[in-house]
Structures are given as structure tokens and as C-alpha cells.
Amino acid sequence: MYDAKSLRAEDFINHQEILDTLAYADENKNNIALIDEIIEKAKERKGLTHREASVLLACENQEKIEEIYDLAEQIKKDFYGNRIVMFAPLYLSNYCINQCVYCPYHAQNRDMARKKLTQKEVEQEVIALQNMGHKRLAIEAGEDPINNPIEYILDCIHTIYQIKHKNGAIRRVNVNIAATTIENYRKLADAGIGTYILFQETYHKESYEKLHPAGPKHDYAYHTEAMDRAMEGGIDDVGLGVLFGLDKYRYEFAGLLMHAEHLEAVHGVGPHTISVPRIKRAADIDPTQFDNGISDEIFCKIAACIRVAVPYTGMIISTRESAELREKIIRLGVSQISGGSRTSVGGYQEEERPHDTEQFEVSDERTLDEVVNWLMSAGYIPSFCTACYREGRTGDRFMSLCKSGQILNCCHPNALMTLKEYLIDYASEDTRKIGEKLIEKELEKITNPKVKKTAKDYIAQMENGERDFRF
Ligand code: SAM
């Protein structure tokens, strides 16, 4: 039976409830009065239930769809301003004992060169990432208790935080590794990770079991209940995601929102982020073999509906998507993007982009400098900020600040100060010029005179070599 508060996967992601939700959405997809009511509720910026949001996603009326897009854009502006947080993935190991049919790291793939970074190599990768200007990483690894045990992951996190190269530093390490035990989550929390990210891949249990025919990831309940164990283990911020293309997108969307409602109901805090990856071509993976691929148009509609349904949850889009699509979707509510990414183990030290250990083909192959330049030219502030996590503003503390609107007083100046660091230490001449103008203009927008003065002072001190200021 459906119960958002239950700790059993099949209760909080209840199949019948999703089917009923989809039937309700179908019945009401042209019910303009109800759609207007839901849009009005969304305007209060307190979120929507999975049923309400599913009606919006099913809506076929072009005028109403435009209204949803406009609202998504407005909510993004209200909560995230024109800031976009930058990060990069760091692939530690592609050893894997699972058999996910969409992933080239699957254990049956004998042609995949297997590689695991030594601590020395982690250091070299991190220096390469620091030299690009990154401050925030998401570490990625296959699941293999012998080759990549939790101790290995912890060693890597420790190494990453230790490395200080020139003015560089990685200030936040997010972790995307397979579902694990409360004890291991506690070790990750103690190691000072930022967000624990785990994609559900699909919420449809039957499909899930077929798509993960063997290995520990086959266990739907263990995977789906992982975020509860992570929170129980002391991790405040968790990131959800669905791999779009595996099952029907409307089913996944309802499941994703039910998962968010469940976390809020049980732990008092919803997901910190939601990722929206789509299946990509990779070694022995052909995305056209999957029946449920979604068009760019539907993809944008999903992003807009997520934005209005969970306004306080960050939304992440990776380099799986092209520059053109990223430009379109960012305005609908994306708050974080990766830049200059390499999805192969050890890829950042290579001059040429290597493909032999790559997890998927990257569509946006621009350098971080090119992405930063492009974002600023499109009116966004690329932010390298990691302050909330370092100031202990995580979990419910972050959410309550966010809901009170207070967070804006920190995020905007922090974004400008971290962008300034980037411009001085890493940017090309052209990017620096665009950035300096942008910072000057944006500083004037700070309404609190004390904050404005302090931000200006800090930025002046950066010119004299000081770094790492934050509110
Ligand atoms: N092995 C861990 C796990 O199972 O959760 C870590 C995650 S894996 C390195 C990162 C994510 O990449 C997966 O959760 C999956 O959604 C995504 N992925 C796998 N194959 C992909 C493909 N062909 N195209 C796009 N994304 C893919």
C-alpha cells in the first residue's frame, strides 16, 4: 500500500500509486481549470505533489505549457538568481561486478580496459582539475568490493582534500558510488563529503530487475532504500536521479517526486539535488536499443515540471547533453552543470580525450574556460562556491535558509567572489575581461549595503593574492 512514510521501497514508491497517478494525469491533461489551479499553487513556491506535477507533465495545451515554462524560469530566478554552480566528475575506477545493461562498465564487457587510479594518480588528476579551476568534484566508481572497497574510496577522498596546488583546492567532494550500508555511509559522512548521489536509474521495479540482471545492484529494495540508510548514517545532503530512456518518462517522473516526498516525510528534508541524465552511446552500448528515449522537447518539459514541483532542490545537468540543449534547459531551472568533463579513468591528465575507459560519450566537449565564457555571455554567473557545506549549512539548515529567502544574501556575493578567484587564477584573457565587467555590474545589485561593502573589500583583497573568502 502507498505510504510516503514507510521505509519499504515498495510502499513509498508504490507501483499502483504511480499507475493511479498516471491515469489521473491522463484524465486531466486537458482539464484547464485544474491545470490553472495547479499552476496557481506552484506560484506559491511551496512545491507540488507527485499527482499535481504529473498533471502538468501530461498537459498538452501549448498555452499552458508555455505558462509552466515561464513559471519554471521565474522560480529559477527567484531561488537561484542567474548563478550556475560548476563541478566536474572524477572517475576513480571502472572495475564493476554489476551487469547494468546500459553501462559499458558492466562485468561482461571484456573489451573494456579496466583501470583504478592509484593515490598518486588521484593526485595527478586533481592537480589537472585544479589547474582548470575546479573547486567541486563528484567522484564516480563502479561497484567492486575487492577492487574499490569503501576504504579505497575513503583514501581517495582524503587524498583529494589534501592536495593544494598553487592557489587550487578541491573544497567539496560529492560522491556517486553504489548503494551501501549505514556503516559505510557513516564513514563517508565522517570523511566530509558533500552530497551523496545515487541515481535510481528506473523506479519501475520489473524493468529495474531486468536492466540489472545480476550483481548486488539487482536488489531493487536495497538500491531504492539507500538514501534512507545514507541519511541514517549522517549524510545530510542526498542527490536523486533517473536515467531517462530506460522506462516511460512519466512513470519515472512520478517515482522521482514520490522519492522526494518520502525523504521529506521521513527525514524532514527533501533531496539536495536531482539529476536528469539521458542514456548515451558508450563502448558496447547503443542508446537506440532502448525503447523509451525522450525528445529534447519532452526533456525540457520534465526539467520545467521538476523546477515548479520541488523549487528548493538543485537540478544538475551534465556534459551528456550538447551545448545547444544545455543553453535551452538551463533557463528552465538547472542550477548546476559540469564543465570540461572527462568520463574516463585518468582522463584529465591526457592531452587528447581518451575513449578506452570512458563511461559514456560526452556531447559538450568544451573546456571549462569555454563553458565559463559562454555562461557569462548568456548572462549567467558561473559559481565555484562551496560555502554552504563548509559553513555547516547542510540538510534541513540549508533548506530552512533557502525557504526563508536568506540564502540569497550569501549565494550571490559568494558566487561573485569565487568567480573572481577563477578569473585571476585560471581564465583566458577574453573570459577575464567579460568576467570583470560582469562582477562589477553584479556587485551593484547587492541590496544589503554592509554585504555589498564587505564583498567589494574581499574582492579587492583578492587582487593582492588573498583567497577563499565567503559569507
Ligand atoms: N556504480 C555506481 C552506481 O551504480 O550507482 C556509480 C554510478 S555510475 C559511475 C554513474 C551513473 O552513470 C549511473 O548511475 C548511470 O545512471 C549513468 N550511466 C551509466 N551508463 C550510462 C550511459 N550509457 N549513458 C549515460 N549515463 C550512463
Side-chain angles (χ1 to χ4, degrees):
M1 207 187 62
Y2 176 53
D3 178 3
K5 283 202 159 142
S6 166
L7 292 175
R8 279 187 66 235
E10 285 182 57
D11 294 336
F12 66 82
I13 306 294
N14 181 264
H15 179 60
Q16 192 54 48
E17 172 59 20
I18 300 186
L19 294 185
D20 293 349
T21 297
L22 298 185
Y24 175 76
D26 267 332
E27 275 161 35
N28 290 293
K29 65 184 175 195
N30 293 312
N31 180 346
I32 302 297
L34 179 67
I35 292 168
D36 278 341
E37 217 175 276
I38 297 172
I39 293 178
E40 279 311 304
K41 182 176 171 196
K43 284 184 185 163
E44 291 169 22
R45 288 145 171 74
K46 292 196 179 120
L48 297 175
T49 65
H50 59 278
R51 282 214 177 196
E52 293 162 339
S54 292
V55 173
L56 296 191
L57 186 63
C59 166
E60 288 170 344
N61 179 301
Q62 206 46 46
E63 212 177 290
K64 294 294 146 194
I65 295 175
E66 287 306 320
E67 268 184 50
I68 298 165
Y69 281 15
D70 289 347
L71 180 58
E73 206 173 334
Q74 195 52 50
I75 290 180
K76 177 183 154 52
K77 279 190 191 141
D78 294 349
F79 286 114
Y80 304 91
N82 51 351
R83 299 179 303 281
I84 299 286
V85 169
M86 306 301 304
F87 78 99
L90 171 58
Y91 282 76
L92 301 177
S93 166
N94 63 2
Y95 282 96
C96 194
I97 58 168
N98 283 313
Q99 289 189 20
C100 314
V101 304
Y102 47 83
C103 179
Y105 289 176
H106 67 89
Q108 307 288 16
N109 188 355
R110 310 255 177 258
D111 297 328
M112 170 66 63
R114 300 289 165 172
K115 193 170 171 188
K116 164 187 169 181
L117 298 180
T118 62
Q119 295 311 306
K120 184 76 205 149
E121 286 167 329
V122 170
E123 189 178 329
Q124 287 161 347
E125 286 283 278
V126 170
I127 288 174
L129 283 155
Q130 289 185 2
N131 282 341
M132 289 160 71
H134 278 295
K135 299 283 186 274
R136 178 189 286 248
L137 300 184
I139 55 171
E140 312 272 341
E143 179 167 16
D144 185 330
I146 294 179
N147 287 298
N148 328 321
I150 193 72
E151 290 70 25
Y152 170 72
I153 304 291
L154 295 168
D155 282 350
C156 292
I157 295 169
H158 184 72
T159 301
I160 295 167
Y161 279 135
Q162 290 296 308
I163 300 160
K164 304 279 180 282
H165 176 68
K166 297 185 182 162
N167 285 331
I170 298 301
R171 299 171 181 156
R172 176 175 177 132
V173 178
N174 296 334
V175 175
N176 184 5
I177 60 164
T180 186
T181 59
I182 296 179
E183 200 191 356
N184 285 349
Y185 284 126
R186 190 158 290 128
K187 289 179 185 167
L188 288 171
D190 292 344
I193 69 161
T195 312
Y196 171 65
I197 300 162
L198 181 69
F199 299 160
Q200 178 64 30
E201 320 298 6
T202 174
Y203 282 97
H204 193 289
K205 183 169 185 278
E206 213 182 300
S207 300
Y208 182 94
E209 287 167 351
K210 283 192 194 129
L211 290 159
H212 307 94
K217 197 166 167 179
H218 176 72
D219 187 337
Y220 177 84
Y222 190 71
H223 189 80
T224 311
E225 293 159 9
M227 294 313 193
D228 296 294
R229 293 194 300 280
M231 286 185 146
E232 173 124 23
I235 295 178
D236 284 343
D237 293 332
V238 299
L240 303 180
V242 151
L243 186 56
F244 283 102
L246 297 180
D247 208 294
K248 304 268 183 295
Y249 72 90
R250 286 176 52 201
Y251 191 102
E252 306 295 19
F253 177 81
L256 193 55
L257 291 185
M258 283 162 77
H259 202 170
E261 286 165 14
H262 162 71
L263 296 177
E264 177 101 42
V266 175
H267 308 280
V269 49
H272 191 68
T273 54
I274 288 182
S275 299
V276 287
R278 288 195 284 187
I279 305 179
K280 294 285 302 175
R281 189 168 296 282
D284 64 345
I285 308 297
D286 175 1
T288 61
Q289 297 295 304
F290 295 84
D291 298 334
N292 297 301
I294 50 170
S295 65
D296 289 353
E297 199 187 336
I298 293 293
F299 194 48
C300 288
K301 199 173 174 194
I302 293 171
C305 289
I306 291 176
R307 183 67 303 135
V308 303
V310 280
Y312 307 107
T313 300
M315 204 181 338
I316 303 180
I317 190 129
S318 75
T319 54
R320 288 177 182 85
E321 302 299 336
S322 67
E324 298 78 58
L325 198 272
R326 298 218 294 175
E327 176 142 22
K328 200 163 156 200
I329 207 167
I330 279 176
R331 80 179 174 88
L332 296 173
V334 169
S335 55
Q336 261 190 58
I337 67 168
S338 45
S341 305
R342 299 246 166 134
T343 63
S344 44
V345 183
Y348 291 108
Q349 293 161 70
E350 309 283 339
E351 193 73 27
E352 289 285 311
R353 181 179 292 275
H355 295 290
D356 59 337
T357 61
E358 204 171 46
Q359 200 201 7
F360 54 83
E361 282 179 16
V362 162
S363 294
D364 186 344
E365 294 197 350
R366 293 173 297 180
T367 62
L368 180 62
D369 189 72
E370 285 166 339
V371 174
V372 167
N373 191 311
W374 158 74
L375 281 173
M376 294 191 302
S377 306
Y380 294 102
I381 309 170
S383 170
F384 294 86
C385 183
T386 53
C388 279
Y389 145 80
R390 294 164 77 214
E391 291 292 324
R393 296 191 291 260
T394 56
D396 52 357
R397 287 175 301 283
F398 171 80
M399 285 296 170
S400 57
L401 269 171
C402 208
K403 289 178 186 173
S404 70
Q406 295 272 40
I407 201 82
L408 290 176
N409 295 327
C410 307
C411 295
H412 184 229
N414 282 342
L416 297 176
M417 293 190 300
T418 56
L419 176 61
K420 178 74 178 181
E421 283 190 344
Y422 176 83
L423 296 179
I424 302 177
D425 289 336
Y426 309 104
S428 65
E429 195 53 40
D430 182 49
T431 302
R432 188 171 306 145
K433 269 190 207 146
I434 300 175
E436 294 294 355
K437 267 199 200 133
L438 179 77
I439 291 175
E440 214 175 288
K441 193 176 89 191
E442 289 288 335
L443 276 171
E444 294 311 317
K445 290 189 191 163
I446 301 176
T447 46
N448 181 323
K450 208 168 144 209
V451 173
K452 187 193 275 187
K453 183 176 179 316
T454 311
K456 284 185 175 178
D457 286 350
Y458 285 162
I459 283 183
Q461 288 178 57
M462 279 182 211
E463 297 282 4
N464 300 325
E466 300 279 329
R467 294 288 180 274
D468 201 12
F469 293 105
R470 61 179 180 266
F471 286 95

